[in-house]
Amino acid sequence: MNTTTRRAAGVLAITIVAAGCGRGADTAPEQARDVTTGKIAGEVSVWAMGEEGKALGAFVKDFESANPGVKVNVTAIGWDVAHDKITSAIAGGATPDVSMIGSTWSGELAKTGALEPTPGNLVDKSAFFPGAWQTVDINGTAYGVPWYVETRVLYYRTDQAEKAGVQPPATWQEFTAFVRALKEKGGASRGFNQSYQLGASWQEVLPLIWQAGGEIVKDGEYTFDTPEAVTALKQYASLFEQKLAPTDTPADAFPQTFIKGEVGAFYSGPWMIGVLGNDGGPGFADKFDVAPYPKGPVSATSFVGGADMAVFKKAGNRDAAWKFIQWLSEPKVQAKWYTTVKALPAVQAAWQEPELKADEQLAVFGEQLKDARTPPPFPTWEQVARVLEAELEKLARGRSTPEQTAKAIQSQADTIGTGL
């Protein structure tokens, strides 16, 4: 690999949160505390999604062992129903103590008034990747703590690249030539797998806008109709226009198209390493590698996603809830969580732990995370993301131009507003 990662050791402030997190006795629910020892006790209810939710129940046993008298009850829920379940729980006043939330949900949920601001002495925000902390920072107030992160990098077939005589691209111009070589010389008949539907394309286009020097927010308003955004949309559309990326991929055909060699490259997150290793069978791990995003006119910025952990104001055991989140933020715990579900640590110091430090492919993701960015924490972001999906599919299928796409997105984003 041609990329190495060096991490500054972020330091977490491991201090026990004061009772009620600074709230007065008249507003804070009574805490489940052992009055004889001063230690927290009682039950903490936690909602968590996806594979992480399934694994967290067993993982928390270490926390319980370190905090006798505390019981963490994890309810695993699907990502497909999680957003609605949480908003319904808020509306009905029946929230858990703690919930995992998607990295783009903080603004929307914080606006409801249901989330507890993060105590200032809980963690040191500089210990986290800047892009990760942005996911919980709403106008200078943090709601929750980043739990794990993910970012996108370039996956490519090393055997096809070698056959085509090309190296991973460093710039947009090289990227197009790289994909063309994989298709015309390397044997990748379908070229590059570029997302254009199913909720993924906006996560590929936002980095292009940032790489072109653009912003999607200025002075508190959405800004999609800019020269930089049009430049990014032209780059995105170019692969479809040049037949270097297909628009007729059957549902669920990917990643088998990559494993079969029909697709030579794609952008995705760290979970795909495990997926390809499992689905590709013995020896396939030697046929692919990862590389950083090619640099656009200004930068090589990527998208940062992942999940946060937040405490609700109606939590019945707030002290134990925040201490649990604090424990999840310890570097060694974050490193162990990575070995459990391959979720990348949001805490930079965790990348110096042995479990992560020696992995060269993982180092590419670590390097990319240094300047990865997140969408704005606006309450309406999910609505705007759906607009992006619809308009980007039109662009991919040749039903609109980059200029028309930028105007259409801007018009609808203006109508939706930021929700602030």
Side-chain angles (χ1 to χ4, degrees):
M1 303 294 293
N2 56 12
T3 304
T4 58
T5 305
R6 296 181 180 176
R7 294 276 162 248
V11 180
L12 289 175
I14 307 300
T15 54
I16 304 302
V17 184
C21 299
R23 288 171 161 263
D26 57 333
T27 59
E30 182 178 354
Q31 302 303 303
R33 183 181 293 276
D34 184 333
V35 295
T36 61
T37 64
K39 294 182 179 180
I40 58 171
E43 296 188 356
V44 179
S45 57
V46 179
W47 287 358
M49 287 77 90
E51 295 303 311
E52 290 78 14
K54 296 176 184 177
L56 187 59
F59 189 79
V60 301
K61 300 302 180 185
D62 287 349
F63 175 77
E64 293 174 339
S65 296
N67 296 274
V70 178
K71 173 66 176 175
V72 180
N73 298 314
V74 178
T75 299
I77 56 180
W79 273 110
D80 56 336
V81 299
H83 181 273
D84 290 346
K85 185 176 178 67
I86 292 171
T87 54
S88 295
I90 290 173
T95 56
D97 295 325
V98 177
S99 183
M100 172 181 169
I101 62 174
S103 62
T104 60
W105 299 356
S106 293
E108 176 187 357
L109 299 183
K111 188 180 180 182
T112 68
L115 298 185
E116 178 79 12
T118 307
N121 63 343
L122 187 77
V123 294
D124 177 3
K125 71 177 185 180
S126 67
F128 298 84
F129 285 106
W133 192 260
Q134 288 174 8
T135 67
V136 300
D137 189 337
I138 314 299
N139 296 325
T141 299
Y143 293 90
V145 172
W147 183 22
Y148 67 84
V149 293
E150 57 94 348
T151 192
R152 310 303 157 86
V153 299
L154 177 67
Y155 284 76
Y156 68 99
R157 286 286 298 254
T158 51
D159 52 347
Q160 293 182 339
E162 182 177 357
K163 182 178 179 181
V166 290
Q167 296 292 323
T171 65
W172 280 9
Q173 184 176 9
E174 290 180 9
F175 172 69
T176 302
F178 177 77
V179 174
R180 187 180 302 281
L182 292 181
K183 182 175 182 180
E184 297 179 353
K185 300 178 182 179
S189 59
R190 299 181 67 80
F192 184 85
N193 193 83
Q194 182 163 256
S195 298
Y196 63 94
Q197 57 182 6
L198 302 178
S201 59
W202 69 265
Q203 297 176 6
E204 292 190 4
V205 168
L206 291 194
L208 298 179
I209 295 175
W210 294 324
Q211 290 165 17
E215 299 289 344
I216 60 173
V217 172
K218 185 176 181 180
D219 298 328
E221 301 293 336
Y222 289 115
T223 54
F224 288 101
D225 189 9
T226 65
E228 293 84 1
V230 171
T231 296
L233 292 170
K234 287 180 178 179
Q235 173 69 10
Y236 173 76
S238 66
L239 292 190
F240 296 115
E241 293 169 351
Q242 298 177 57
K243 308 301 182 184
L244 297 177
T247 56
D248 61 349
T249 302
D252 301 323
F254 182 82
Q256 284 299 320
T257 50
F258 182 74
I259 292 170
K260 293 176 182 178
E262 297 171 6
V263 164
F266 62 95
Y267 290 117
S268 192
W271 61 85
M272 284 302 301
I273 293 177
V275 171
L276 295 175
N278 292 331
D279 294 359
F284 188 72
D286 297 328
K287 294 183 179 180
F288 76 90
D289 209 340
V290 295
Y293 246 107
K295 184 179 179 181
V298 174
S299 73
T301 302
S302 185
F303 164 82
V304 61
D308 306 321
M309 280 290 189
V311 173
F312 291 96
K313 286 183 178 178
K314 288 185 176 293
N317 196 353
R318 188 177 291 112
D319 280 351
W322 281 118
K323 188 171 183 182
F324 173 62
I325 290 178
Q326 186 182 59
W327 176 79
L328 288 175
S329 301
E330 295 175 9
K332 289 188 179 300
V333 175
Q334 290 240 312
K336 185 175 181 180
W337 183 239
Y338 168 74
T339 66
T340 303
V341 294
K342 301 305 180 186
L344 301 182
V347 175
Q348 297 184 65
W351 290 75
Q352 291 300 313
E353 296 295 325
E355 299 93 325
L356 289 89
K357 192 173 183 180
D359 190 324
E360 292 185 341
Q361 287 187 330
L362 200 60
V364 175
F365 289 94
E367 191 68 23
Q368 193 76 71
L369 279 164
K370 287 182 176 180
D371 70 345
R373 300 177 61 179
T374 186
F378 291 164
T380 58
W381 173 252
E382 294 296 320
Q383 294 173 259
V384 173
R386 288 193 289 272
V387 169
L388 281 162
E389 292 304 317
E391 297 302 327
L392 290 172
E393 182 163 0
K394 294 177 187 177
L395 177 61
R397 295 185 180 279
R399 297 171 185 165
S400 67
T401 66
E403 291 82 2
Q404 291 169 337
T405 300
K407 290 183 182 299
I409 294 171
Q410 184 66 55
S411 175
Q412 294 173 77
D414 286 342
T415 300
I416 294 170
T418 64
L420 297 175

